[in-house]
Amino acid sequence: MKGLVVYYSKYGNGKIIAEAIASGLRETGHDIAVSDVGEKDTGPDFDFIVVGSPTRAGRMMGSVKRFIGRELKQAAWKGKKFIAFGTGFRPKGSGKFDQMGAKSAEKVYDAIRKAGLEPMMEAQKFFVKDMQGPLEEGEQERAVELGRSVGRLIRTG
Ligand SMILES: Cc1cc2nc3c(=O)[nH]c(=O)nc-3n(C[C@H](O)[C@H](O)[C@H](O)COP(=O)(O)O)c2cc1C
């Protein structure tokens, strides 16, 4: 199937995750385009979409929110499948940052669902060690594996 991975990434961590998910999907036989959210308008010529955003103060980035409003609310996307992912801190306790830990995953999920698309799975979180990264060990491989398992799932229907 034809899929699109759209992400915003300030420090490059989300870009690594986006590319890793795309590579897992490609390994399992899908035709995948990867696009930075600001790069170009994409058009709805895809069977499914993966959207990712960093977490900022518990929210997704405005550019990702605008992309969802501008593109995914179009009728042609209605009912198509999506995966939402977010990057941020791993919750370690009950502090303020913990409650906001990688919360963008859920924010992206909720916004896309509201736009009328169908989730393939719950919101996916990928964790960074510090403000600008790097990713925790194993996160890139976990993203490749996510791409592979989703790829196998949609191939077999
Ligand atoms: C101003 C600012 C606020 C942030 N707020 C949060 C937050 O509330 N929760 C969280 O988990 N991470 C937070 N982070 C960490 C970001 O999620 C992290 O920089 C981002 O996931 C890295 O992804 P990128 O390299 O793709 O930009 C914040 C980072 C910055 C710079």
Side-chain angles (χ1 to χ4, degrees), residues 7-16 53-59 86-90 96-97 99-104 126-128 130-133:
Y7 67 92
Y8 175 88
S9 180
K10 165 104 183 194
Y11 305 115
N13 301 280
K15 181 176 165 66
I16 292 170
S53 172
T55 308
R56 290 287 163 86
R59 299 162 191 242
T87 53
F89 301 127
R90 181 187 293 278
K96 192 172 165 203
F97 262 135
Q99 284 160 37
M100 298 193 298
K103 198 79 182 160
S104 57
F126 292 92
F127 299 112
V128 292
D130 217 326
M131 280 289 180
Q132 302 187 11

PDB file of all heavy atoms in Angstrom, residues 7-16 53-59 86-90 96-97 99-104 126-128 130-133, ligand 1:
ATOM      1  N   TYR A   7       6.239  14.442   9.636  1.00  0.00           N
ATOM      2  CA  TYR A   7       6.743  14.712  10.979  1.00  0.00           C
ATOM      3  C   TYR A   7       7.217  16.152  11.054  1.00  0.00           C
ATOM      4  O   TYR A   7       7.508  16.792  10.033  1.00  0.00           O
ATOM      5  CB  TYR A   7       7.926  13.772  11.303  1.00  0.00           C
ATOM      6  CG  TYR A   7       9.127  14.073  10.433  1.00  0.00           C
ATOM      7  CD1 TYR A   7      10.105  14.963  10.857  1.00  0.00           C
ATOM      8  CD2 TYR A   7       9.234  13.528   9.163  1.00  0.00           C
ATOM      9  CE1 TYR A   7      11.173  15.295  10.040  1.00  0.00           C
ATOM     10  CE2 TYR A   7      10.294  13.855   8.332  1.00  0.00           C
ATOM     11  CZ  TYR A   7      11.259  14.734   8.782  1.00  0.00           C
ATOM     12  OH  TYR A   7      12.300  15.069   7.956  1.00  0.00           O
ATOM     13  N   TYR A   8       7.301  16.658  12.283  1.00  0.00           N
ATOM     14  CA  TYR A   8       8.077  17.859  12.551  1.00  0.00           C
ATOM     15  C   TYR A   8       9.180  17.446  13.498  1.00  0.00           C
ATOM     16  O   TYR A   8       8.951  16.641  14.409  1.00  0.00           O
ATOM     17  CB  TYR A   8       7.228  18.957  13.201  1.00  0.00           C
ATOM     18  CG  TYR A   8       8.068  20.145  13.593  1.00  0.00           C
ATOM     19  CD1 TYR A   8       8.311  21.170  12.692  1.00  0.00           C
ATOM     20  CD2 TYR A   8       8.660  20.208  14.847  1.00  0.00           C
ATOM     21  CE1 TYR A   8       9.126  22.242  13.041  1.00  0.00           C
ATOM     22  CE2 TYR A   8       9.476  21.274  15.204  1.00  0.00           C
ATOM     23  CZ  TYR A   8       9.702  22.285  14.296  1.00  0.00           C
ATOM     24  OH  TYR A   8      10.512  23.337  14.638  1.00  0.00           O
ATOM     25  N   SER A   9      10.364  17.973  13.290  1.00  0.00           N
ATOM     26  CA  SER A   9      11.475  17.640  14.178  1.00  0.00           C
ATOM     27  C   SER A   9      12.428  18.809  14.251  1.00  0.00           C
ATOM     28  O   SER A   9      13.012  19.210  13.257  1.00  0.00           O
ATOM     29  CB  SER A   9      12.202  16.404  13.644  1.00  0.00           C
ATOM     30  OG  SER A   9      13.278  16.066  14.485  1.00  0.00           O
ATOM     31  N   LYS A  10      12.578  19.380  15.448  1.00  0.00           N
ATOM     32  CA  LYS A  10      13.489  20.518  15.600  1.00  0.00           C
ATOM     33  C   LYS A  10      14.938  20.041  15.743  1.00  0.00           C
ATOM     34  O   LYS A  10      15.835  20.588  15.123  1.00  0.00           O
ATOM     35  CB  LYS A  10      13.054  21.319  16.829  1.00  0.00           C
ATOM     36  CG  LYS A  10      14.044  22.281  17.347  1.00  0.00           C
ATOM     37  CD  LYS A  10      13.692  23.693  16.991  1.00  0.00           C
ATOM     38  CE  LYS A  10      14.789  24.620  17.477  1.00  0.00           C
ATOM     39  NZ  LYS A  10      14.453  25.985  17.489  1.00  0.00           N
ATOM     40  N   TYR A  11      15.159  19.021  16.564  1.00  0.00           N
ATOM     41  CA  TYR A  11      16.535  18.590  16.862  1.00  0.00           C
ATOM     42  C   TYR A  11      16.924  17.288  16.168  1.00  0.00           C
ATOM     43  O   TYR A  11      18.019  16.773  16.396  1.00  0.00           O
ATOM     44  CB  TYR A  11      16.724  18.448  18.371  1.00  0.00           C
ATOM     45  CG  TYR A  11      16.378  19.701  19.142  1.00  0.00           C
ATOM     46  CD1 TYR A  11      15.303  19.719  20.028  1.00  0.00           C
ATOM     47  CD2 TYR A  11      17.107  20.872  18.963  1.00  0.00           C
ATOM     48  CE1 TYR A  11      14.970  20.868  20.730  1.00  0.00           C
ATOM     49  CE2 TYR A  11      16.785  22.029  19.652  1.00  0.00           C
ATOM     50  CZ  TYR A  11      15.716  22.027  20.535  1.00  0.00           C
ATOM     51  OH  TYR A  11      15.382  23.163  21.212  1.00  0.00           O
ATOM     52  N   GLY A  12      16.011  16.732  15.396  1.00  0.00           N
ATOM     53  CA  GLY A  12      16.358  15.552  14.600  1.00  0.00           C
ATOM     54  C   GLY A  12      15.937  14.204  15.168  1.00  0.00           C
ATOM     55  O   GLY A  12      16.027  13.189  14.478  1.00  0.00           O
ATOM     56  N   ASN A  13      15.465  14.193  16.410  1.00  0.00           N
ATOM     57  CA  ASN A  13      15.076  12.904  17.011  1.00  0.00           C
ATOM     58  C   ASN A  13      13.828  12.333  16.339  1.00  0.00           C
ATOM     59  O   ASN A  13      13.778  11.150  15.998  1.00  0.00           O
ATOM     60  CB  ASN A  13      14.841  13.080  18.513  1.00  0.00           C
ATOM     61  CG  ASN A  13      16.076  13.598  19.220  1.00  0.00           C
ATOM     62  OD1 ASN A  13      16.983  12.840  19.515  1.00  0.00           O
ATOM     63  ND2 ASN A  13      16.140  14.902  19.458  1.00  0.00           N
ATOM     64  N   GLY A  14      12.839  13.191  16.143  1.00  0.00           N
ATOM     65  CA  GLY A  14      11.600  12.743  15.488  1.00  0.00           C
ATOM     66  C   GLY A  14      11.835  12.342  14.039  1.00  0.00           C
ATOM     67  O   GLY A  14      11.165  11.442  13.515  1.00  0.00           O
ATOM     68  N   LYS A  15      12.809  12.996  13.417  1.00  0.00           N
ATOM     69  CA  LYS A  15      13.156  12.635  12.026  1.00  0.00           C
ATOM     70  C   LYS A  15      13.720  11.207  11.978  1.00  0.00           C
ATOM     71  O   LYS A  15      13.380  10.420  11.087  1.00  0.00           O
ATOM     72  CB  LYS A  15      14.174  13.633  11.468  1.00  0.00           C
ATOM     73  CG  LYS A  15      14.591  13.377  10.027  1.00  0.00           C
ATOM     74  CD  LYS A  15      15.524  14.509   9.577  1.00  0.00           C
ATOM     75  CE  LYS A  15      16.287  14.215   8.310  1.00  0.00           C
ATOM     76  NZ  LYS A  15      15.492  14.082   7.111  1.00  0.00           N
ATOM     77  N   ILE A  16      14.569  10.877  12.957  1.00  0.00           N
ATOM     78  CA  ILE A  16      15.120   9.510  13.034  1.00  0.00           C
ATOM     79  C   ILE A  16      13.982   8.494  13.190  1.00  0.00           C
ATOM     80  O   ILE A  16      13.960   7.463  12.510  1.00  0.00           O
ATOM     81  CB  ILE A  16      16.120   9.390  14.216  1.00  0.00           C
ATOM     82  CG1 ILE A  16      17.373  10.215  13.927  1.00  0.00           C
ATOM     83  CG2 ILE A  16      16.475   7.918  14.486  1.00  0.00           C
ATOM     84  CD1 ILE A  16      18.321  10.357  15.116  1.00  0.00           C
ATOM     85  N   SER A  53       5.030  14.286  16.125  1.00  0.00           N
ATOM     86  CA  SER A  53       5.386  15.615  16.622  1.00  0.00           C
ATOM     87  C   SER A  53       6.169  15.505  17.926  1.00  0.00           C
ATOM     88  O   SER A  53       5.883  14.629  18.742  1.00  0.00           O
ATOM     89  CB  SER A  53       4.112  16.426  16.893  1.00  0.00           C
ATOM     90  OG  SER A  53       4.418  17.646  17.539  1.00  0.00           O
ATOM     91  N   PRO A  54       7.117  16.420  18.148  1.00  0.00           N
ATOM     92  CA  PRO A  54       7.713  16.527  19.481  1.00  0.00           C
ATOM     93  C   PRO A  54       6.665  17.052  20.466  1.00  0.00           C
ATOM     94  O   PRO A  54       5.655  17.626  20.047  1.00  0.00           O
ATOM     95  CB  PRO A  54       8.824  17.559  19.312  1.00  0.00           C
ATOM     96  CG  PRO A  54       8.818  17.998  17.903  1.00  0.00           C
ATOM     97  CD  PRO A  54       7.627  17.424  17.218  1.00  0.00           C
ATOM     98  N   THR A  55       6.948  16.882  21.755  1.00  0.00           N
ATOM     99  CA  THR A  55       6.088  17.445  22.804  1.00  0.00           C
ATOM    100  C   THR A  55       6.693  18.759  23.268  1.00  0.00           C
ATOM    101  O   THR A  55       7.880  18.836  23.542  1.00  0.00           O
ATOM    102  CB  THR A  55       6.006  16.485  24.007  1.00  0.00           C
ATOM    103  OG1 THR A  55       5.651  15.197  23.536  1.00  0.00           O
ATOM    104  CG2 THR A  55       4.980  16.961  25.016  1.00  0.00           C
ATOM    105  N   ARG A  56       5.875  19.776  23.313  1.00  0.00           N
ATOM    106  CA  ARG A  56       6.286  21.075  23.875  1.00  0.00           C
ATOM    107  C   ARG A  56       5.258  21.473  24.901  1.00  0.00           C
ATOM    108  O   ARG A  56       4.112  21.727  24.531  1.00  0.00           O
ATOM    109  CB  ARG A  56       6.345  22.157  22.798  1.00  0.00           C
ATOM    110  CG  ARG A  56       7.464  22.012  21.818  1.00  0.00           C
ATOM    111  CD  ARG A  56       8.793  22.366  22.452  1.00  0.00           C
ATOM    112  NE  ARG A  56       9.884  21.843  21.646  1.00  0.00           N
ATOM    113  CZ  ARG A  56      10.414  22.493  20.612  1.00  0.00           C
ATOM    114  NH1 ARG A  56       9.989  23.680  20.290  1.00  0.00           N
ATOM    115  NH2 ARG A  56      11.387  21.932  19.928  1.00  0.00           N
ATOM    116  N   ALA A  57       5.682  21.548  26.165  1.00  0.00           N
ATOM    117  CA  ALA A  57       4.761  21.898  27.246  1.00  0.00           C
ATOM    118  C   ALA A  57       3.475  21.080  27.161  1.00  0.00           C
ATOM    119  O   ALA A  57       2.368  21.609  27.272  1.00  0.00           O
ATOM    120  CB  ALA A  57       4.470  23.401  27.226  1.00  0.00           C
ATOM    121  N   GLY A  58       3.641  19.800  26.928  1.00  0.00           N
ATOM    122  CA  GLY A  58       2.500  18.898  26.906  1.00  0.00           C
ATOM    123  C   GLY A  58       1.682  18.915  25.633  1.00  0.00           C
ATOM    124  O   GLY A  58       0.663  18.225  25.542  1.00  0.00           O
ATOM    125  N   ARG A  59       2.105  19.692  24.641  1.00  0.00           N
ATOM    126  CA  ARG A  59       1.322  19.797  23.400  1.00  0.00           C
ATOM    127  C   ARG A  59       2.101  19.340  22.189  1.00  0.00           C
ATOM    128  O   ARG A  59       3.309  19.171  22.242  1.00  0.00           O
ATOM    129  CB  ARG A  59       0.920  21.265  23.158  1.00  0.00           C
ATOM    130  CG  ARG A  59       0.058  21.809  24.257  1.00  0.00           C
ATOM    131  CD  ARG A  59       0.062  23.337  24.192  1.00  0.00           C
ATOM    132  NE  ARG A  59      -0.569  23.844  25.408  1.00  0.00           N
ATOM    133  CZ  ARG A  59      -1.677  24.570  25.422  1.00  0.00           C
ATOM    134  NH1 ARG A  59      -2.256  24.922  24.311  1.00  0.00           N
ATOM    135  NH2 ARG A  59      -2.190  24.967  26.555  1.00  0.00           N
ATOM    136  N   GLY A  86       4.644  10.455  19.030  1.00  0.00           N
ATOM    137  CA  GLY A  86       5.172  11.662  19.651  1.00  0.00           C
ATOM    138  C   GLY A  86       6.495  11.353  20.295  1.00  0.00           C
ATOM    139  O   GLY A  86       6.734  10.224  20.737  1.00  0.00           O
ATOM    140  N   THR A  87       7.378  12.361  20.336  1.00  0.00           N
ATOM    141  CA  THR A  87       8.636  12.207  21.063  1.00  0.00           C
ATOM    142  C   THR A  87       8.607  13.105  22.294  1.00  0.00           C
ATOM    143  O   THR A  87       7.915  14.120  22.321  1.00  0.00           O
ATOM    144  CB  THR A  87       9.843  12.570  20.185  1.00  0.00           C
ATOM    145  OG1 THR A  87       9.644  13.882  19.637  1.00  0.00           O
ATOM    146  CG2 THR A  87      10.025  11.569  19.060  1.00  0.00           C
ATOM    147  N   GLY A  88       9.369  12.710  23.302  1.00  0.00           N
ATOM    148  CA  GLY A  88       9.442  13.494  24.528  1.00  0.00           C
ATOM    149  C   GLY A  88      10.072  12.686  25.631  1.00  0.00           C
ATOM    150  O   GLY A  88      10.713  11.666  25.373  1.00  0.00           O
ATOM    151  N   PHE A  89       9.845  13.135  26.856  1.00  0.00           N
ATOM    152  CA  PHE A  89      10.474  12.490  28.012  1.00  0.00           C
ATOM    153  C   PHE A  89       9.665  11.297  28.492  1.00  0.00           C
ATOM    154  O   PHE A  89       8.445  11.316  28.455  1.00  0.00           O
ATOM    155  CB  PHE A  89      10.607  13.485  29.163  1.00  0.00           C
ATOM    156  CG  PHE A  89      11.418  14.691  28.813  1.00  0.00           C
ATOM    157  CD1 PHE A  89      10.912  15.970  29.009  1.00  0.00           C
ATOM    158  CD2 PHE A  89      12.694  14.545  28.279  1.00  0.00           C
ATOM    159  CE1 PHE A  89      11.665  17.081  28.671  1.00  0.00           C
ATOM    160  CE2 PHE A  89      13.452  15.662  27.943  1.00  0.00           C
ATOM    161  CZ  PHE A  89      12.934  16.929  28.136  1.00  0.00           C
ATOM    162  N   ARG A  90      10.392  10.302  28.976  1.00  0.00           N
ATOM    163  CA  ARG A  90       9.730   9.158  29.613  1.00  0.00           C
ATOM    164  C   ARG A  90       9.244   9.590  30.996  1.00  0.00           C
ATOM    165  O   ARG A  90      10.037  10.097  31.789  1.00  0.00           O
ATOM    166  CB  ARG A  90      10.729   8.004  29.750  1.00  0.00           C
ATOM    167  CG  ARG A  90      10.132   6.758  30.369  1.00  0.00           C
ATOM    168  CD  ARG A  90      11.217   5.742  30.633  1.00  0.00           C
ATOM    169  NE  ARG A  90      11.796   5.214  29.402  1.00  0.00           N
ATOM    170  CZ  ARG A  90      11.259   4.228  28.673  1.00  0.00           C
ATOM    171  NH1 ARG A  90      10.137   3.668  29.043  1.00  0.00           N
ATOM    172  NH2 ARG A  90      11.853   3.812  27.578  1.00  0.00           N
ATOM    173  N   LYS A  96       5.429  17.607  37.083  1.00  0.00           N
ATOM    174  CA  LYS A  96       4.751  18.279  35.973  1.00  0.00           C
ATOM    175  C   LYS A  96       5.223  17.722  34.625  1.00  0.00           C
ATOM    176  O   LYS A  96       4.415  17.390  33.760  1.00  0.00           O
ATOM    177  CB  LYS A  96       5.059  19.771  36.069  1.00  0.00           C
ATOM    178  CG  LYS A  96       4.204  20.628  35.167  1.00  0.00           C
ATOM    179  CD  LYS A  96       4.444  22.095  35.463  1.00  0.00           C
ATOM    180  CE  LYS A  96       3.884  22.928  34.324  1.00  0.00           C
ATOM    181  NZ  LYS A  96       4.526  24.236  34.266  1.00  0.00           N
ATOM    182  N   PHE A  97       6.532  17.597  34.462  1.00  0.00           N
ATOM    183  CA  PHE A  97       7.070  17.096  33.193  1.00  0.00           C
ATOM    184  C   PHE A  97       6.645  15.656  32.938  1.00  0.00           C
ATOM    185  O   PHE A  97       6.484  15.234  31.802  1.00  0.00           O
ATOM    186  CB  PHE A  97       8.603  17.190  33.162  1.00  0.00           C
ATOM    187  CG  PHE A  97       9.094  18.411  32.431  1.00  0.00           C
ATOM    188  CD1 PHE A  97      10.104  19.188  32.963  1.00  0.00           C
ATOM    189  CD2 PHE A  97       8.543  18.776  31.200  1.00  0.00           C
ATOM    190  CE1 PHE A  97      10.566  20.327  32.293  1.00  0.00           C
ATOM    191  CE2 PHE A  97       9.000  19.903  30.523  1.00  0.00           C
ATOM    192  CZ  PHE A  97      10.003  20.680  31.077  1.00  0.00           C
ATOM    193  N   GLN A  99       3.800  14.290  33.782  1.00  0.00           N
ATOM    194  CA  GLN A  99       2.431  14.288  33.255  1.00  0.00           C
ATOM    195  C   GLN A  99       2.397  14.731  31.797  1.00  0.00           C
ATOM    196  O   GLN A  99       1.493  14.360  31.054  1.00  0.00           O
ATOM    197  CB  GLN A  99       1.547  15.193  34.112  1.00  0.00           C
ATOM    198  CG  GLN A  99       1.182  14.540  35.438  1.00  0.00           C
ATOM    199  CD  GLN A  99       0.738  15.549  36.467  1.00  0.00           C
ATOM    200  OE1 GLN A  99       0.065  16.515  36.131  1.00  0.00           O
ATOM    201  NE2 GLN A  99       1.137  15.351  37.715  1.00  0.00           N
ATOM    202  N   MET A 100       3.384  15.510  31.408  1.00  0.00           N
ATOM    203  CA  MET A 100       3.410  15.989  30.020  1.00  0.00           C
ATOM    204  C   MET A 100       4.331  15.126  29.160  1.00  0.00           C
ATOM    205  O   MET A 100       4.579  15.430  28.015  1.00  0.00           O
ATOM    206  CB  MET A 100       3.878  17.442  29.983  1.00  0.00           C
ATOM    207  CG  MET A 100       2.943  18.366  30.747  1.00  0.00           C
ATOM    208  SD  MET A 100       3.237  20.112  30.445  1.00  0.00           S
ATOM    209  CE  MET A 100       4.885  20.352  31.028  1.00  0.00           C
ATOM    210  N   GLY A 101       4.864  14.041  29.723  1.00  0.00           N
ATOM    211  CA  GLY A 101       5.854  13.220  29.029  1.00  0.00           C
ATOM    212  C   GLY A 101       5.347  12.654  27.714  1.00  0.00           C
ATOM    213  O   GLY A 101       4.397  11.878  27.713  1.00  0.00           O
ATOM    214  N   ALA A 102       5.986  13.090  26.634  1.00  0.00           N
ATOM    215  CA  ALA A 102       5.664  12.615  25.278  1.00  0.00           C
ATOM    216  C   ALA A 102       4.170  12.665  24.984  1.00  0.00           C
ATOM    217  O   ALA A 102       3.633  11.849  24.240  1.00  0.00           O
ATOM    218  CB  ALA A 102       6.231  11.213  25.061  1.00  0.00           C
ATOM    219  N   LYS A 103       3.515  13.629  25.577  1.00  0.00           N
ATOM    220  CA  LYS A 103       2.059  13.780  25.480  1.00  0.00           C
ATOM    221  C   LYS A 103       1.599  14.096  24.050  1.00  0.00           C
ATOM    222  O   LYS A 103       0.433  13.907  23.704  1.00  0.00           O
ATOM    223  CB  LYS A 103       1.663  14.920  26.436  1.00  0.00           C
ATOM    224  CG  LYS A 103       0.238  14.987  26.831  1.00  0.00           C
ATOM    225  CD  LYS A 103      -0.100  13.992  27.890  1.00  0.00           C
ATOM    226  CE  LYS A 103      -1.575  14.053  28.249  1.00  0.00           C
ATOM    227  NZ  LYS A 103      -2.025  12.829  28.901  1.00  0.00           N
ATOM    228  N   SER A 104       2.517  14.605  23.250  1.00  0.00           N
ATOM    229  CA  SER A 104       2.145  14.952  21.869  1.00  0.00           C
ATOM    230  C   SER A 104       1.578  13.750  21.128  1.00  0.00           C
ATOM    231  O   SER A 104       0.729  13.909  20.247  1.00  0.00           O
ATOM    232  CB  SER A 104       3.349  15.507  21.108  1.00  0.00           C
ATOM    233  OG  SER A 104       4.418  14.573  21.125  1.00  0.00           O
ATOM    234  N   PHE A 126       7.932   7.807  21.774  1.00  0.00           N
ATOM    235  CA  PHE A 126       9.369   7.519  21.680  1.00  0.00           C
ATOM    236  C   PHE A 126      10.106   8.529  22.548  1.00  0.00           C
ATOM    237  O   PHE A 126       9.796   9.724  22.516  1.00  0.00           O
ATOM    238  CB  PHE A 126       9.825   7.575  20.220  1.00  0.00           C
ATOM    239  CG  PHE A 126       9.251   6.452  19.409  1.00  0.00           C
ATOM    240  CD1 PHE A 126       8.062   6.605  18.722  1.00  0.00           C
ATOM    241  CD2 PHE A 126       9.880   5.209  19.374  1.00  0.00           C
ATOM    242  CE1 PHE A 126       7.501   5.552  18.006  1.00  0.00           C
ATOM    243  CE2 PHE A 126       9.333   4.155  18.664  1.00  0.00           C
ATOM    244  CZ  PHE A 126       8.147   4.326  17.975  1.00  0.00           C
ATOM    245  N   PHE A 127      11.091   8.020  23.294  1.00  0.00           N
ATOM    246  CA  PHE A 127      11.635   8.823  24.382  1.00  0.00           C
ATOM    247  C   PHE A 127      13.037   9.352  24.110  1.00  0.00           C
ATOM    248  O   PHE A 127      13.900   8.633  23.585  1.00  0.00           O
ATOM    249  CB  PHE A 127      11.614   8.007  25.669  1.00  0.00           C
ATOM    250  CG  PHE A 127      10.217   7.600  26.063  1.00  0.00           C
ATOM    251  CD1 PHE A 127       9.823   6.270  26.031  1.00  0.00           C
ATOM    252  CD2 PHE A 127       9.275   8.560  26.439  1.00  0.00           C
ATOM    253  CE1 PHE A 127       8.533   5.892  26.383  1.00  0.00           C
ATOM    254  CE2 PHE A 127       7.979   8.196  26.793  1.00  0.00           C
ATOM    255  CZ  PHE A 127       7.609   6.851  26.763  1.00  0.00           C
ATOM    256  N   VAL A 128      13.214  10.622  24.499  1.00  0.00           N
ATOM    257  CA  VAL A 128      14.533  11.264  24.426  1.00  0.00           C
ATOM    258  C   VAL A 128      15.096  11.391  25.846  1.00  0.00           C
ATOM    259  O   VAL A 128      14.345  11.437  26.817  1.00  0.00           O
ATOM    260  CB  VAL A 128      14.451  12.673  23.769  1.00  0.00           C
ATOM    261  CG1 VAL A 128      14.094  12.563  22.311  1.00  0.00           C
ATOM    262  CG2 VAL A 128      13.466  13.584  24.500  1.00  0.00           C
ATOM    263  N   ASP A 130      17.140  13.959  26.880  1.00  0.00           N
ATOM    264  CA  ASP A 130      17.242  15.354  27.306  1.00  0.00           C
ATOM    265  C   ASP A 130      16.507  16.242  26.294  1.00  0.00           C
ATOM    266  O   ASP A 130      16.070  15.740  25.254  1.00  0.00           O
ATOM    267  CB  ASP A 130      18.730  15.745  27.400  1.00  0.00           C
ATOM    268  CG  ASP A 130      18.963  16.689  28.573  1.00  0.00           C
ATOM    269  OD1 ASP A 130      18.055  17.499  28.864  1.00  0.00           O
ATOM    270  OD2 ASP A 130      20.040  16.618  29.186  1.00  0.00           O
ATOM    271  N   MET A 131      16.413  17.532  26.608  1.00  0.00           N
ATOM    272  CA  MET A 131      15.656  18.474  25.763  1.00  0.00           C
ATOM    273  C   MET A 131      15.897  18.272  24.265  1.00  0.00           C
ATOM    274  O   MET A 131      14.975  18.245  23.475  1.00  0.00           O
ATOM    275  CB  MET A 131      16.024  19.916  26.124  1.00  0.00           C
ATOM    276  CG  MET A 131      15.318  20.436  27.348  1.00  0.00           C
ATOM    277  SD  MET A 131      13.563  20.706  27.028  1.00  0.00           S
ATOM    278  CE  MET A 131      13.020  21.291  28.621  1.00  0.00           C
ATOM    279  N   GLN A 132      17.176  18.174  23.904  1.00  0.00           N
ATOM    280  CA  GLN A 132      17.502  18.093  22.473  1.00  0.00           C
ATOM    281  C   GLN A 132      17.853  16.667  22.055  1.00  0.00           C
ATOM    282  O   GLN A 132      18.427  16.452  20.995  1.00  0.00           O
ATOM    283  CB  GLN A 132      18.669  19.031  22.155  1.00  0.00           C
ATOM    284  CG  GLN A 132      18.359  20.472  22.528  1.00  0.00           C
ATOM    285  CD  GLN A 132      19.427  21.451  22.083  1.00  0.00           C
ATOM    286  OE1 GLN A 132      20.326  21.130  21.319  1.00  0.00           O
ATOM    287  NE2 GLN A 132      19.326  22.679  22.561  1.00  0.00           N
ATOM    288  N   GLY A 133      17.522  15.702  22.876  1.00  0.00           N
ATOM    289  CA  GLY A 133      17.904  14.329  22.609  1.00  0.00           C
ATOM    290  C   GLY A 133      19.192  14.016  23.318  1.00  0.00           C
ATOM    291  O   GLY A 133      19.574  14.765  24.226  1.00  0.00           O
TER     292      GLY A 133
HETATM  293  C1  LIG B   1      10.586  24.377  25.097  1.00  0.00           C
HETATM  294  C2  LIG B   1      10.514  22.905  25.233  1.00  0.00           C
HETATM  295  C3  LIG B   1       9.473  22.333  25.958  1.00  0.00           C
HETATM  296  C4  LIG B   1       9.372  20.941  26.097  1.00  0.00           C
HETATM  297  N1  LIG B   1       8.326  20.403  26.793  1.00  0.00           N
HETATM  298  C5  LIG B   1       8.219  19.049  26.896  1.00  0.00           C
HETATM  299  C6  LIG B   1       7.119  18.433  27.560  1.00  0.00           C
HETATM  300  O1  LIG B   1       6.216  19.081  28.082  1.00  0.00           O
HETATM  301  N2  LIG B   1       7.062  17.092  27.621  1.00  0.00           N
HETATM  302  C7  LIG B   1       8.018  16.294  27.062  1.00  0.00           C
HETATM  303  O2  LIG B   1       7.906  15.081  27.158  1.00  0.00           O
HETATM  304  N3  LIG B   1       9.067  16.852  26.399  1.00  0.00           N
HETATM  305  C8  LIG B   1       9.195  18.185  26.306  1.00  0.00           C
HETATM  306  N4  LIG B   1      10.251  18.740  25.626  1.00  0.00           N
HETATM  307  C9  LIG B   1      11.251  17.854  25.002  1.00  0.00           C
HETATM  308  C10 LIG B   1      10.883  17.649  23.542  1.00  0.00           C
HETATM  309  O3  LIG B   1       9.821  16.741  23.473  1.00  0.00           O
HETATM  310  C11 LIG B   1      12.088  17.180  22.718  1.00  0.00           C
HETATM  311  O4  LIG B   1      12.904  18.309  22.485  1.00  0.00           O
HETATM  312  C12 LIG B   1      11.656  16.617  21.394  1.00  0.00           C
HETATM  313  O5  LIG B   1      10.851  15.477  21.556  1.00  0.00           O
HETATM  314  C13 LIG B   1      12.847  16.248  20.541  1.00  0.00           C
HETATM  315  O6  LIG B   1      12.349  15.931  19.255  1.00  0.00           O
HETATM  316  P1  LIG B   1      13.016  16.576  17.953  1.00  0.00           P
HETATM  317  O7  LIG B   1      14.463  16.302  18.024  1.00  0.00           O
HETATM  318  O8  LIG B   1      12.362  15.824  16.837  1.00  0.00           O
HETATM  319  O9  LIG B   1      12.702  18.034  17.891  1.00  0.00           O
HETATM  320  C14 LIG B   1      10.355  20.107  25.487  1.00  0.00           C
HETATM  321  C15 LIG B   1      11.386  20.699  24.741  1.00  0.00           C
HETATM  322  C16 LIG B   1      11.482  22.068  24.598  1.00  0.00           C
HETATM  323  C17 LIG B   1      12.596  22.646  23.795  1.00  0.00           C
END
